[in-house]
């Protein structure tokens, strides 16, 4: 008989903490699939929900199964689901779109005006099973490393941002060597950037970025950026900027070192409003573009192609824990002394 309850990591009440508890296995609708979860990645969003900060208080209604980065196997399909089959190894796009707004109707699902987040607005993937609309499911190529497949969601943020402007032959500045910044560095190197300079305040993360091939990994600040440019014999500034720290000072320091006509993609979510030198943006004709989520499903297509072409994400994953050890895993993520941290929920059948 199929299981009716499962272990899940739950935000049970409007207070700090998460509990591993027994909850009902999700019931699927005609267009959904049920996925047995194998591995999950921990994201900054999960930390916000765990610690119950102001953002979480404003966005999350307990009880809620958290988590949105995962890989698993399809074990059940709604009656209207075609193309997918039981046993498929899949990850899920964590943004559920409305399907009816102007952008959705035009096929621009990444721009949906009414997205809902898996593990934020509805039950998520830190569980033995997760249910998802079949239209949100991405089927992996056979043989993919399970831990790599588990982090396709943040890899997608990196790919979406890094490839939002052509980087071939360009000098790229990435601010923030968190997991997403480091994955973006790998993507830019793979896509033929000339130099990839990455900044961070954390020695651990600068070291990881350096080991993963960044041309230079340096502390932020006007002097160190000027020093990097001199070292690389760059005269006119960076062609492409990828802001991946969420720090106001990172964007403020990036703008003056961009080449005329330089292009900036902003992924980092700043915690507060802040000023930038807009006249510099205007007179140097900079382009600044906000990036949210992943293109559905062009980014996912590129991700599979990049991994298939040999882009190796495995070194970005620095820690692995059993799901039962989630508290230690969350502590490691909070410490910042890590790349991606992956939880294991089960083994493939
Ligand atoms: P992270 O917090 O692990 O990494 C951010 C890094 O920036 C850290 O290593 C931190 O030490 C570094 N940093 C802090 N101040 C800095 C400064 N002044 N200069 C340079 N680096 C600095 O986060 P992540 O998971 O890698 O995500 C990166 C950013 O992208 C975060 O701001 C996150 O909120 C945001 N994000 C946005 C989307 C989206 O759809 N727009 C999706 C996922 C994540
Ligand atoms: Zn929509």
């Amino acid at each position: 008989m199929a299981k009716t309850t499962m272990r899940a990591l739950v935000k049970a009440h409007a207070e700090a903490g998460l509990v591993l508890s027994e909850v009902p296995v999700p019931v699927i609708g005609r267009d959904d699939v049920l996925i047995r979860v194998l591995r999950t990645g921990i994201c900054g969003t999960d930390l916000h929900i765990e610690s119950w900060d102001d953002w979480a208080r404003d966005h999350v209604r307990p009880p809620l199964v958290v988590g949105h980065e995962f890989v698993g196997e399809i074990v059940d399909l709604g009656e209207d689901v075609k193309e997918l089959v039981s046993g498929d190894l899949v990850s899920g796009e964590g943004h559920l779109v409305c399907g009816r707004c102007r952008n959705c109707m035009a096929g621009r699902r990444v721009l949906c005006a009414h997205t809902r987040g898996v593990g934020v607005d509805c039950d998520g993937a830190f569980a033995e099973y997760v249910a998802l609309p079949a239209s949100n499911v991405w089927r992996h190529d056979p043989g993919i490393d399970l831990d790599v497949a588990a982090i396709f969601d943040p890899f997608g943020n990196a790919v979406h941002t890094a490839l939002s402007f052509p980087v071939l032959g360009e000098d790229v500045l990435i601010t923030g060597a968190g997991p997403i910044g480091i994955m973006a560095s790998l993507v830019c190197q793979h896509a033929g950037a000339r130099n990839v300079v990455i900044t961070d305040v954390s020695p651990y993360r600068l070291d990881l970025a350096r080991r993963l091939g960044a041309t230079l990994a340096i502390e932020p600040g006007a002097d160190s950026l000027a020093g990097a440019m001199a070292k690389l014999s760059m005269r006119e500034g960076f062609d492409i900027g990828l802001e991946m720290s969420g720090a106001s000072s990172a964007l403020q320091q990036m703008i003056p070192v961009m080449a005329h006509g330089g292009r900036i993609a902003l992924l980092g979510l700043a915690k507060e409003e802040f000023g930038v030198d807009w006249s510099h943006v205007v007179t140097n004709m900079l382009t600044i573009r906000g990036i949210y989520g992943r293109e559905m499903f062009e980014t996912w297509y590129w991700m599979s192609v990049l991994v298939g072409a040999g882009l190796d994400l495995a070194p970005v994953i620095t820690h692995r824990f059993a799901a039962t050890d989630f508290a230690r895993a969350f502590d490691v993520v909070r410490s910042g002394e890590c790349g991606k941290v992956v939880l294991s929920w089960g083994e493939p059948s």
Side-chain angles (χ1 to χ4, degrees):
M1 214 184 82
K3 282 181 67 158
T4 54
T5 65
M6 64 174 187
R7 276 181 312 148
L9 206 47
V10 179
K11 169 59 76 179
H13 304 288
E15 61 192 26
L18 294 170
V19 284
L20 196 59
S21 52
E22 201 71 18
V23 301
V25 171
V27 175
I28 56 168
R30 304 173 69 99
D31 298 315
D32 302 334
V33 295
L34 186 68
I35 300 159
R36 188 169 72 83
V37 177
L38 301 174
R39 304 277 191 279
T40 58
I42 301 176
C43 166
T45 304
D46 306 317
L47 288 191
H48 289 297
I49 298 175
E50 194 272 344
S51 63
W52 202 240
D53 63 10
D54 290 345
W55 178 88
R57 258 188 276 271
D58 287 346
H59 289 84
V60 173
R61 297 284 154 264
L64 177 85
V65 177
V66 300
H68 56 276
E69 301 177 4
F70 75 94
V71 63
E73 283 176 351
I74 294 184
V75 290
D76 198 10
L77 303 100
E79 50 203 302
D80 290 344
V81 179
K82 311 282 185 258
E83 310 294 335
L84 297 164
V85 295
S86 271
D88 278 348
L89 187 70
V90 297
S91 289
E93 168 53 57
H95 289 172
L96 305 174
V97 299
C98 76
R100 295 300 304 173
C101 72
R102 176 183 173 185
N103 282 313
C104 277
M105 293 298 277
R108 298 183 293 260
R109 287 183 279 177
V110 69
L111 294 175
C112 174
H114 310 290
T115 45
R116 290 185 312 127
V118 172
V120 176
D121 302 302
C122 58
D123 281 340
F126 287 1
E128 286 178 271
Y129 297 92
V130 60
L132 215 61
S135 56
N136 273 62
V137 164
W138 182 256
R139 180 164 41 196
H140 288 290
D141 291 336
I144 189 168
D145 179 278
L146 282 183
D147 294 339
V148 166
I151 60 165
F152 256 43
D153 173 298
F155 179 41
N157 297 132
V159 169
H160 187 189
T161 314
L163 300 185
S164 55
F165 302 115
V167 295
L168 177 67
E170 304 289 36
D171 295 329
V172 181
L173 172 62
I174 302 174
T175 48
I180 299 181
I182 290 180
M183 288 191 277
S185 163
L186 290 173
V187 173
C188 291
Q189 293 169 47
H190 187 94
R194 176 167 64 176
N195 291 307
V196 180
V197 176
I198 189 162
T199 66
D200 204 294
V201 291
S202 150
Y204 178 99
R205 289 190 159 172
L206 288 176
D207 182 54
L208 187 58
R210 220 169 272 132
R211 281 190 280 124
L212 293 184
T215 319
L216 289 176
I218 57 173
E219 305 229 322
D223 290 347
S224 64
L225 288 170
M229 286 175 56
K231 203 168 186 174
L232 299 172
S233 305
M234 285 173 53
R235 285 190 298 274
E236 299 192 2
F238 290 91
D239 308 295
I240 305 290
L242 310 177
E243 203 310 283
M244 303 193 140
S245 72
S248 52
S249 58
L251 181 64
Q252 287 163 334
Q253 290 162 9
M254 178 184 277
I255 286 172
V257 296
M258 296 302 293
H260 284 226
R263 290 175 276 191
I264 295 175
L266 281 184
L267 181 88
L269 288 162
K271 290 181 192 68
E272 66 280 306
E273 292 182 16
F274 61 91
V276 299
D277 184 350
W278 286 110
S279 57
H280 191 92
V281 172
V282 171
T283 54
N284 290 7
M285 294 186 68
L286 302 185
T287 299
I288 300 182
R289 177 176 180 185
I291 303 288
Y292 188 57
R294 298 143 296 275
E295 294 264 2
M296 294 164 227
F297 276 82
E298 194 66 358
T299 304
W300 292 82
Y301 178 84
W302 278 342
M303 285 188 263
S304 286
V305 169
L306 287 164
V307 169
L311 187 145
D312 186 12
L313 291 181
V316 178
I317 301 154
T318 55
H319 296 74
R320 295 165 176 82
F321 294 92
T324 46
D325 218 1
F326 72 90
R328 261 197 330 139
F330 273 68
D331 283 347
V332 169
V333 178
R334 195 169 288 110
S335 78
E337 301 271 298
C338 58
K340 281 306 293 186
V341 178
V342 167
L343 294 175
S344 178
W345 292 84
E347 291 309 314
S349 54

